[in-house]
Amino acid sequence: MATTGRLLGSGRVNDVYEIDGAWVVRRNRAGWGDAVAEGAVMEHVRAHGYPVPRVRLAESTRTELVMERLAGPTMVEAYAAGLIDAAEGGELLAGLLRQLHAIPGCRSASAGHRILHLDLHPENVMLTPDGPRVIDWSNTEEGDPALDWGMSAVILAQVAVGDAPIAGPAHELLDVLLTDPSHLTEDGLTEALRRRAADVMMSAEEVELLGQAEELVRSYGR
């Protein structure tokens, strides 16, 4: 277990603690996941030039990932502060998806299979002085890139059809993402909707929005 300092932030299942000025440890509160495997994927994509935090695999465990401490806002925070607009955000997300899917997989030899993030949305992109960094790779796997596009689209659509203050910007981001052009397919959308419906971490309100979210995504011709 890494020696930790103050709590820097918390998500649905993880807490991030300070180690020092350069490193943090992300700890899963419920003991889920495989942080070492997640970190190995991050190192793989980073070796191909993809913008992710550095990790220290030797100091990580199944439930703790030691990684580079990042400075800067998330895309959501940057939008709220007027640092980027929705068009820039949508283009950035689309570019990050395309860049990721150009990287060869770690394990799969199946034709067309690539590394998928499966949770790539504005809260998981930090805008550092050195450029964007994609965080939270706990859902990563290898498969059809269309599923990654589907997951990002459905996540944005759920926010867009809700009543949160960022619903409007989420709709604008989705507009750009799905007209980039996107690589979303019917199969990718169907599987993304199935996975979101089965996600035990979603609230009842979020699950209720899935039908409207599907309608919104399909309105783009999917």
Side-chain angles (χ1 to χ4, degrees):
M1 178 179 293
T3 301
T4 58
R6 64 190 176 96
L7 177 67
L8 298 176
S10 295
R12 295 194 185 196
V13 297
N14 295 312
D15 298 315
V16 178
Y17 292 91
E18 177 182 60
I19 295 178
D20 54 35
W23 298 92
V24 297
V25 59
R26 191 204 68 198
R27 182 172 297 149
N28 187 284
R29 291 190 298 274
W32 296 348
D34 187 342
V36 173
E38 178 184 349
V41 173
M42 293 170 67
E43 284 292 273
H44 175 76
V45 299
R46 191 172 74 85
H48 286 80
Y50 198 74
V52 296
R54 292 173 295 152
V55 299
R56 288 179 171 174
L57 290 179
E59 299 173 29
S60 300
T61 68
R62 187 179 61 81
T63 59
E64 295 184 347
L65 182 63
V66 176
M67 59 184 178
E68 178 184 6
R69 184 171 183 171
L70 301 177
T74 65
M75 280 180 59
V76 172
E77 293 167 338
Y79 179 86
L83 301 176
I84 61 169
D85 60 29
E88 291 170 323
E91 291 170 1
L92 176 57
L93 282 179
L96 288 169
L97 284 167
R98 286 196 305 270
Q99 184 181 354
L100 177 61
H101 301 151
I103 298 172
C106 302
R107 301 175 300 276
S108 177
S110 300
H113 277 205
R114 291 293 187 269
I115 294 171
L116 313 180
H117 184 279
L118 299 179
D119 200 20
L120 188 50
H121 56 76
E123 289 186 339
N124 282 338
V125 179
M126 293 187 66
L127 303 182
T128 77
D130 297 320
R133 295 291 184 272
V134 178
I135 61 173
D136 195 354
W137 291 74
S138 55
N139 292 336
T140 186
E141 62 182 64
E142 294 185 19
D144 184 351
L147 174 57
D148 227 357
W149 285 85
M151 293 297 288
S152 292
V154 171
I155 291 168
L156 284 174
Q158 282 179 281
V159 178
V161 300
D163 56 7
I166 58 172
H171 201 152
E172 294 178 43
L173 279 168
L174 186 66
D175 285 342
V176 177
L177 185 73
L178 294 184
T179 56
D180 190 64
S182 83
H183 297 278
L184 180 60
T185 65
E186 175 63 30
D187 287 346
L189 175 57
T190 298
E191 178 62 10
L193 289 164
R194 185 195 69 78
R195 292 190 183 209
R196 289 294 284 174
D199 188 346
V200 297
M201 298 308 300
M202 286 206 307
S203 67
E205 291 78 11
E206 288 174 308
V207 173
E208 289 176 0
L209 292 173
L210 273 174
Q212 296 177 61
E214 178 180 2
E215 291 180 6
L216 177 57
V217 175
R218 291 191 181 282
S219 72
Y220 291 89
R222 297 306 185 276

PDB file of all heavy atoms in Angstrom, residues 5-18 24-29 67 74 77 123-124 135-136 201:
ATOM      1  N   GLY A   5      -0.977  10.986   1.484  1.00  0.00           N
ATOM      2  CA  GLY A   5      -1.241  12.215   2.206  1.00  0.00           C
ATOM      3  C   GLY A   5      -2.708  12.565   2.130  1.00  0.00           C
ATOM      4  O   GLY A   5      -3.576  11.705   2.243  1.00  0.00           O
ATOM      5  N   ARG A   6      -2.986  13.831   1.849  1.00  0.00           N
ATOM      6  CA  ARG A   6      -4.371  14.293   1.896  1.00  0.00           C
ATOM      7  C   ARG A   6      -5.193  13.783   0.712  1.00  0.00           C
ATOM      8  O   ARG A   6      -4.667  13.466  -0.348  1.00  0.00           O
ATOM      9  CB  ARG A   6      -4.397  15.814   1.924  1.00  0.00           C
ATOM     10  CG  ARG A   6      -3.841  16.504   0.699  1.00  0.00           C
ATOM     11  CD  ARG A   6      -3.691  18.001   0.934  1.00  0.00           C
ATOM     12  NE  ARG A   6      -3.082  18.663  -0.195  1.00  0.00           N
ATOM     13  CZ  ARG A   6      -3.773  19.271  -1.163  1.00  0.00           C
ATOM     14  NH1 ARG A   6      -5.095  19.294  -1.109  1.00  0.00           N
ATOM     15  NH2 ARG A   6      -3.151  19.855  -2.162  1.00  0.00           N
ATOM     16  N   LEU A   7      -6.490  13.711   0.943  1.00  0.00           N
ATOM     17  CA  LEU A   7      -7.430  13.321  -0.095  1.00  0.00           C
ATOM     18  C   LEU A   7      -7.559  14.464  -1.096  1.00  0.00           C
ATOM     19  O   LEU A   7      -7.848  15.603  -0.723  1.00  0.00           O
ATOM     20  CB  LEU A   7      -8.788  13.010   0.535  1.00  0.00           C
ATOM     21  CG  LEU A   7      -9.924  12.645  -0.427  1.00  0.00           C
ATOM     22  CD1 LEU A   7      -9.646  11.313  -1.101  1.00  0.00           C
ATOM     23  CD2 LEU A   7     -11.249  12.590   0.338  1.00  0.00           C
ATOM     24  N   LEU A   8      -7.368  14.159  -2.383  1.00  0.00           N
ATOM     25  CA  LEU A   8      -7.446  15.175  -3.420  1.00  0.00           C
ATOM     26  C   LEU A   8      -8.784  15.188  -4.134  1.00  0.00           C
ATOM     27  O   LEU A   8      -9.208  16.210  -4.667  1.00  0.00           O
ATOM     28  CB  LEU A   8      -6.332  14.967  -4.445  1.00  0.00           C
ATOM     29  CG  LEU A   8      -4.902  15.086  -3.920  1.00  0.00           C
ATOM     30  CD1 LEU A   8      -3.910  14.758  -5.028  1.00  0.00           C
ATOM     31  CD2 LEU A   8      -4.643  16.486  -3.368  1.00  0.00           C
ATOM     32  N   GLY A   9      -9.463  14.042  -4.171  1.00  0.00           N
ATOM     33  CA  GLY A   9     -10.743  13.979  -4.865  1.00  0.00           C
ATOM     34  C   GLY A   9     -11.351  12.601  -4.759  1.00  0.00           C
ATOM     35  O   GLY A   9     -10.667  11.620  -4.462  1.00  0.00           O
ATOM     36  N   SER A  10     -12.666  12.530  -4.985  1.00  0.00           N
ATOM     37  CA  SER A  10     -13.391  11.260  -4.909  1.00  0.00           C
ATOM     38  C   SER A  10     -14.374  11.156  -6.062  1.00  0.00           C
ATOM     39  O   SER A  10     -14.974  12.153  -6.482  1.00  0.00           O
ATOM     40  CB  SER A  10     -14.156  11.147  -3.586  1.00  0.00           C
ATOM     41  OG  SER A  10     -13.272  11.088  -2.492  1.00  0.00           O
ATOM     42  N   GLY A  11     -14.520   9.948  -6.580  1.00  0.00           N
ATOM     43  CA  GLY A  11     -15.515   9.658  -7.601  1.00  0.00           C
ATOM     44  C   GLY A  11     -16.527   8.669  -7.069  1.00  0.00           C
ATOM     45  O   GLY A  11     -16.678   8.510  -5.857  1.00  0.00           O
ATOM     46  N   ARG A  12     -17.199   7.984  -7.974  1.00  0.00           N
ATOM     47  CA  ARG A  12     -18.240   7.044  -7.540  1.00  0.00           C
ATOM     48  C   ARG A  12     -17.656   5.871  -6.767  1.00  0.00           C
ATOM     49  O   ARG A  12     -18.273   5.378  -5.830  1.00  0.00           O
ATOM     50  CB  ARG A  12     -19.012   6.527  -8.754  1.00  0.00           C
ATOM     51  CG  ARG A  12     -19.803   7.601  -9.485  1.00  0.00           C
ATOM     52  CD  ARG A  12     -20.800   7.004 -10.441  1.00  0.00           C
ATOM     53  NE  ARG A  12     -21.467   8.038 -11.222  1.00  0.00           N
ATOM     54  CZ  ARG A  12     -22.576   7.844 -11.907  1.00  0.00           C
ATOM     55  NH1 ARG A  12     -23.154   6.645 -11.923  1.00  0.00           N
ATOM     56  NH2 ARG A  12     -23.128   8.821 -12.596  1.00  0.00           N
ATOM     57  N   VAL A  13     -16.468   5.414  -7.172  1.00  0.00           N
ATOM     58  CA  VAL A  13     -15.891   4.235  -6.519  1.00  0.00           C
ATOM     59  C   VAL A  13     -14.448   4.433  -6.085  1.00  0.00           C
ATOM     60  O   VAL A  13     -13.900   3.587  -5.378  1.00  0.00           O
ATOM     61  CB  VAL A  13     -15.989   2.987  -7.427  1.00  0.00           C
ATOM     62  CG1 VAL A  13     -17.431   2.631  -7.695  1.00  0.00           C
ATOM     63  CG2 VAL A  13     -15.233   3.209  -8.730  1.00  0.00           C
ATOM     64  N   ASN A  14     -13.822   5.541  -6.499  1.00  0.00           N
ATOM     65  CA  ASN A  14     -12.402   5.734  -6.226  1.00  0.00           C
ATOM     66  C   ASN A  14     -12.134   7.001  -5.431  1.00  0.00           C
ATOM     67  O   ASN A  14     -12.872   7.990  -5.544  1.00  0.00           O
ATOM     68  CB  ASN A  14     -11.607   5.814  -7.542  1.00  0.00           C
ATOM     69  CG  ASN A  14     -11.632   4.524  -8.314  1.00  0.00           C
ATOM     70  OD1 ASN A  14     -11.392   3.457  -7.769  1.00  0.00           O
ATOM     71  ND2 ASN A  14     -11.930   4.615  -9.607  1.00  0.00           N
ATOM     72  N   ASP A  15     -11.063   6.957  -4.645  1.00  0.00           N
ATOM     73  CA  ASP A  15     -10.536   8.140  -3.965  1.00  0.00           C
ATOM     74  C   ASP A  15      -9.104   8.344  -4.455  1.00  0.00           C
ATOM     75  O   ASP A  15      -8.368   7.377  -4.657  1.00  0.00           O
ATOM     76  CB  ASP A  15     -10.522   7.947  -2.448  1.00  0.00           C
ATOM     77  CG  ASP A  15     -11.912   7.738  -1.870  1.00  0.00           C
ATOM     78  OD1 ASP A  15     -12.828   8.491  -2.258  1.00  0.00           O
ATOM     79  OD2 ASP A  15     -12.080   6.821  -1.047  1.00  0.00           O
ATOM     80  N   VAL A  16      -8.716   9.599  -4.615  1.00  0.00           N
ATOM     81  CA  VAL A  16      -7.361   9.920  -5.055  1.00  0.00           C
ATOM     82  C   VAL A  16      -6.643  10.656  -3.934  1.00  0.00           C
ATOM     83  O   VAL A  16      -7.132  11.677  -3.440  1.00  0.00           O
ATOM     84  CB  VAL A  16      -7.373  10.789  -6.330  1.00  0.00           C
ATOM     85  CG1 VAL A  16      -5.946  11.157  -6.736  1.00  0.00           C
ATOM     86  CG2 VAL A  16      -8.079  10.055  -7.465  1.00  0.00           C
ATOM     87  N   TYR A  17      -5.488  10.108  -3.540  1.00  0.00           N
ATOM     88  CA  TYR A  17      -4.718  10.668  -2.435  1.00  0.00           C
ATOM     89  C   TYR A  17      -3.361  11.170  -2.928  1.00  0.00           C
ATOM     90  O   TYR A  17      -2.761  10.598  -3.845  1.00  0.00           O
ATOM     91  CB  TYR A  17      -4.472   9.611  -1.354  1.00  0.00           C
ATOM     92  CG  TYR A  17      -5.718   9.178  -0.616  1.00  0.00           C
ATOM     93  CD1 TYR A  17      -6.468   8.095  -1.067  1.00  0.00           C
ATOM     94  CD2 TYR A  17      -6.127   9.839   0.540  1.00  0.00           C
ATOM     95  CE1 TYR A  17      -7.611   7.682  -0.392  1.00  0.00           C
ATOM     96  CE2 TYR A  17      -7.264   9.434   1.236  1.00  0.00           C
ATOM     97  CZ  TYR A  17      -7.992   8.361   0.761  1.00  0.00           C
ATOM     98  OH  TYR A  17      -9.122   7.958   1.429  1.00  0.00           O
ATOM     99  N   GLU A  18      -2.893  12.200  -2.295  1.00  0.00           N
ATOM    100  CA  GLU A  18      -1.575  12.751  -2.590  1.00  0.00           C
ATOM    101  C   GLU A  18      -0.474  11.823  -2.071  1.00  0.00           C
ATOM    102  O   GLU A  18      -0.567  11.295  -0.960  1.00  0.00           O
ATOM    103  CB  GLU A  18      -1.464  14.113  -1.900  1.00  0.00           C
ATOM    104  CG  GLU A  18      -0.148  14.810  -2.040  1.00  0.00           C
ATOM    105  CD  GLU A  18      -0.147  16.119  -1.265  1.00  0.00           C
ATOM    106  OE1 GLU A  18      -0.346  16.059  -0.028  1.00  0.00           O
ATOM    107  OE2 GLU A  18       0.026  17.182  -1.876  1.00  0.00           O
ATOM    108  N   VAL A  24       0.299  10.562  -7.301  1.00  0.00           N
ATOM    109  CA  VAL A  24      -0.891  10.311  -6.484  1.00  0.00           C
ATOM    110  C   VAL A  24      -1.176   8.812  -6.515  1.00  0.00           C
ATOM    111  O   VAL A  24      -0.626   8.076  -7.346  1.00  0.00           O
ATOM    112  CB  VAL A  24      -2.118  11.077  -7.016  1.00  0.00           C
ATOM    113  CG1 VAL A  24      -1.903  12.583  -6.957  1.00  0.00           C
ATOM    114  CG2 VAL A  24      -2.499  10.623  -8.433  1.00  0.00           C
ATOM    115  N   VAL A  25      -2.051   8.380  -5.617  1.00  0.00           N
ATOM    116  CA  VAL A  25      -2.541   7.008  -5.676  1.00  0.00           C
ATOM    117  C   VAL A  25      -4.058   7.049  -5.738  1.00  0.00           C
ATOM    118  O   VAL A  25      -4.703   7.749  -4.966  1.00  0.00           O
ATOM    119  CB  VAL A  25      -2.059   6.156  -4.477  1.00  0.00           C
ATOM    120  CG1 VAL A  25      -2.496   6.740  -3.148  1.00  0.00           C
ATOM    121  CG2 VAL A  25      -2.549   4.713  -4.624  1.00  0.00           C
ATOM    122  N   ARG A  26      -4.602   6.330  -6.697  1.00  0.00           N
ATOM    123  CA  ARG A  26      -6.057   6.183  -6.805  1.00  0.00           C
ATOM    124  C   ARG A  26      -6.456   4.866  -6.182  1.00  0.00           C
ATOM    125  O   ARG A  26      -5.980   3.813  -6.589  1.00  0.00           O
ATOM    126  CB  ARG A  26      -6.487   6.214  -8.275  1.00  0.00           C
ATOM    127  CG  ARG A  26      -7.997   6.332  -8.467  1.00  0.00           C
ATOM    128  CD  ARG A  26      -8.421   5.782  -9.801  1.00  0.00           C
ATOM    129  NE  ARG A  26      -8.232   4.338  -9.849  1.00  0.00           N
ATOM    130  CZ  ARG A  26      -8.181   3.639 -10.980  1.00  0.00           C
ATOM    131  NH1 ARG A  26      -8.238   4.237 -12.147  1.00  0.00           N
ATOM    132  NH2 ARG A  26      -8.022   2.327 -10.939  1.00  0.00           N
ATOM    133  N   ARG A  27      -7.324   4.921  -5.194  1.00  0.00           N
ATOM    134  CA  ARG A  27      -7.681   3.735  -4.412  1.00  0.00           C
ATOM    135  C   ARG A  27      -9.161   3.424  -4.581  1.00  0.00           C
ATOM    136  O   ARG A  27     -10.016   4.303  -4.422  1.00  0.00           O
ATOM    137  CB  ARG A  27      -7.352   3.977  -2.938  1.00  0.00           C
ATOM    138  CG  ARG A  27      -7.623   2.796  -2.025  1.00  0.00           C
ATOM    139  CD  ARG A  27      -7.079   3.095  -0.638  1.00  0.00           C
ATOM    140  NE  ARG A  27      -5.634   3.263  -0.682  1.00  0.00           N
ATOM    141  CZ  ARG A  27      -4.951   4.072   0.137  1.00  0.00           C
ATOM    142  NH1 ARG A  27      -5.585   4.817   1.032  1.00  0.00           N
ATOM    143  NH2 ARG A  27      -3.633   4.155   0.043  1.00  0.00           N
ATOM    144  N   ASN A  28      -9.466   2.177  -4.903  1.00  0.00           N
ATOM    145  CA  ASN A  28     -10.863   1.759  -5.038  1.00  0.00           C
ATOM    146  C   ASN A  28     -11.435   1.439  -3.660  1.00  0.00           C
ATOM    147  O   ASN A  28     -10.909   0.590  -2.941  1.00  0.00           O
ATOM    148  CB  ASN A  28     -10.964   0.535  -5.959  1.00  0.00           C
ATOM    149  CG  ASN A  28     -12.397   0.163  -6.266  1.00  0.00           C
ATOM    150  OD1 ASN A  28     -13.091  -0.404  -5.443  1.00  0.00           O
ATOM    151  ND2 ASN A  28     -12.837   0.485  -7.472  1.00  0.00           N
ATOM    152  N   ARG A  29     -12.508   2.121  -3.303  1.00  0.00           N
ATOM    153  CA  ARG A  29     -13.065   1.960  -1.959  1.00  0.00           C
ATOM    154  C   ARG A  29     -13.677   0.589  -1.728  1.00  0.00           C
ATOM    155  O   ARG A  29     -13.720   0.098  -0.600  1.00  0.00           O
ATOM    156  CB  ARG A  29     -14.153   3.035  -1.726  1.00  0.00           C
ATOM    157  CG  ARG A  29     -13.629   4.448  -1.630  1.00  0.00           C
ATOM    158  CD  ARG A  29     -14.711   5.397  -1.150  1.00  0.00           C
ATOM    159  NE  ARG A  29     -15.833   5.467  -2.059  1.00  0.00           N
ATOM    160  CZ  ARG A  29     -15.887   6.280  -3.122  1.00  0.00           C
ATOM    161  NH1 ARG A  29     -14.858   7.072  -3.399  1.00  0.00           N
ATOM    162  NH2 ARG A  29     -16.948   6.301  -3.898  1.00  0.00           N
ATOM    163  N   MET A  67       0.005   6.891  -9.953  1.00  0.00           N
ATOM    164  CA  MET A  67       0.126   7.553 -11.243  1.00  0.00           C
ATOM    165  C   MET A  67       0.521   9.012 -11.090  1.00  0.00           C
ATOM    166  O   MET A  67       0.493   9.586  -9.995  1.00  0.00           O
ATOM    167  CB  MET A  67      -1.181   7.436 -12.030  1.00  0.00           C
ATOM    168  CG  MET A  67      -2.395   8.008 -11.360  1.00  0.00           C
ATOM    169  SD  MET A  67      -3.879   7.682 -12.347  1.00  0.00           S
ATOM    170  CE  MET A  67      -5.119   8.399 -11.280  1.00  0.00           C
ATOM    171  N   THR A  74     -10.745  19.539 -15.598  1.00  0.00           N
ATOM    172  CA  THR A  74     -11.371  18.611 -16.526  1.00  0.00           C
ATOM    173  C   THR A  74     -12.019  19.418 -17.649  1.00  0.00           C
ATOM    174  O   THR A  74     -12.159  20.637 -17.555  1.00  0.00           O
ATOM    175  CB  THR A  74     -12.456  17.776 -15.838  1.00  0.00           C
ATOM    176  OG1 THR A  74     -13.518  18.658 -15.419  1.00  0.00           O
ATOM    177  CG2 THR A  74     -11.901  17.025 -14.633  1.00  0.00           C
ATOM    178  N   GLU A  77     -14.926  21.350 -16.240  1.00  0.00           N
ATOM    179  CA  GLU A  77     -14.518  22.542 -15.495  1.00  0.00           C
ATOM    180  C   GLU A  77     -14.022  23.636 -16.431  1.00  0.00           C
ATOM    181  O   GLU A  77     -14.283  24.829 -16.219  1.00  0.00           O
ATOM    182  CB  GLU A  77     -13.438  22.166 -14.485  1.00  0.00           C
ATOM    183  CG  GLU A  77     -13.940  21.250 -13.376  1.00  0.00           C
ATOM    184  CD  GLU A  77     -12.825  20.626 -12.557  1.00  0.00           C
ATOM    185  OE1 GLU A  77     -11.674  20.540 -13.079  1.00  0.00           O
ATOM    186  OE2 GLU A  77     -13.086  20.204 -11.418  1.00  0.00           O
ATOM    187  N   GLU A 123     -15.586  14.498 -18.259  1.00  0.00           N
ATOM    188  CA  GLU A 123     -15.044  14.448 -16.898  1.00  0.00           C
ATOM    189  C   GLU A 123     -13.805  13.576 -16.810  1.00  0.00           C
ATOM    190  O   GLU A 123     -13.091  13.610 -15.809  1.00  0.00           O
ATOM    191  CB  GLU A 123     -16.107  13.954 -15.921  1.00  0.00           C
ATOM    192  CG  GLU A 123     -17.222  14.970 -15.686  1.00  0.00           C
ATOM    193  CD  GLU A 123     -18.183  14.546 -14.621  1.00  0.00           C
ATOM    194  OE1 GLU A 123     -18.256  13.324 -14.333  1.00  0.00           O
ATOM    195  OE2 GLU A 123     -18.879  15.414 -14.058  1.00  0.00           O
ATOM    196  N   ASN A 124     -13.547  12.793 -17.839  1.00  0.00           N
ATOM    197  CA  ASN A 124     -12.368  11.924 -17.852  1.00  0.00           C
ATOM    198  C   ASN A 124     -11.273  12.432 -18.782  1.00  0.00           C
ATOM    199  O   ASN A 124     -10.372  11.679 -19.162  1.00  0.00           O
ATOM    200  CB  ASN A 124     -12.753  10.486 -18.226  1.00  0.00           C
ATOM    201  CG  ASN A 124     -13.364   9.750 -17.054  1.00  0.00           C
ATOM    202  OD1 ASN A 124     -13.149  10.119 -15.904  1.00  0.00           O
ATOM    203  ND2 ASN A 124     -14.129   8.709 -17.330  1.00  0.00           N
ATOM    204  N   ILE A 135      -8.005  10.071 -18.414  1.00  0.00           N
ATOM    205  CA  ILE A 135      -7.895   9.349 -17.143  1.00  0.00           C
ATOM    206  C   ILE A 135      -9.000   8.298 -17.031  1.00  0.00           C
ATOM    207  O   ILE A 135      -9.863   8.187 -17.885  1.00  0.00           O
ATOM    208  CB  ILE A 135      -7.950  10.321 -15.946  1.00  0.00           C
ATOM    209  CG1 ILE A 135      -9.293  11.073 -15.938  1.00  0.00           C
ATOM    210  CG2 ILE A 135      -6.785  11.296 -16.005  1.00  0.00           C
ATOM    211  CD1 ILE A 135      -9.507  11.928 -14.690  1.00  0.00           C
ATOM    212  N   ASP A 136      -8.953   7.529 -15.955  1.00  0.00           N
ATOM    213  CA  ASP A 136      -9.942   6.503 -15.588  1.00  0.00           C
ATOM    214  C   ASP A 136     -10.105   5.448 -16.671  1.00  0.00           C
ATOM    215  O   ASP A 136     -11.078   5.424 -17.419  1.00  0.00           O
ATOM    216  CB  ASP A 136     -11.293   7.126 -15.242  1.00  0.00           C
ATOM    217  CG  ASP A 136     -12.190   6.113 -14.521  1.00  0.00           C
ATOM    218  OD1 ASP A 136     -11.796   4.936 -14.401  1.00  0.00           O
ATOM    219  OD2 ASP A 136     -13.285   6.508 -14.073  1.00  0.00           O
ATOM    220  N   MET A 201     -23.585   1.079 -11.208  1.00  0.00           N
ATOM    221  CA  MET A 201     -23.161   2.339 -10.623  1.00  0.00           C
ATOM    222  C   MET A 201     -24.063   3.507 -11.035  1.00  0.00           C
ATOM    223  O   MET A 201     -23.946   4.598 -10.493  1.00  0.00           O
ATOM    224  CB  MET A 201     -21.711   2.656 -11.027  1.00  0.00           C
ATOM    225  CG  MET A 201     -20.696   1.628 -10.544  1.00  0.00           C
ATOM    226  SD  MET A 201     -20.827   1.305  -8.768  1.00  0.00           S
ATOM    227  CE  MET A 201     -20.522   2.943  -8.081  1.00  0.00           C
TER     228      MET A 201
END
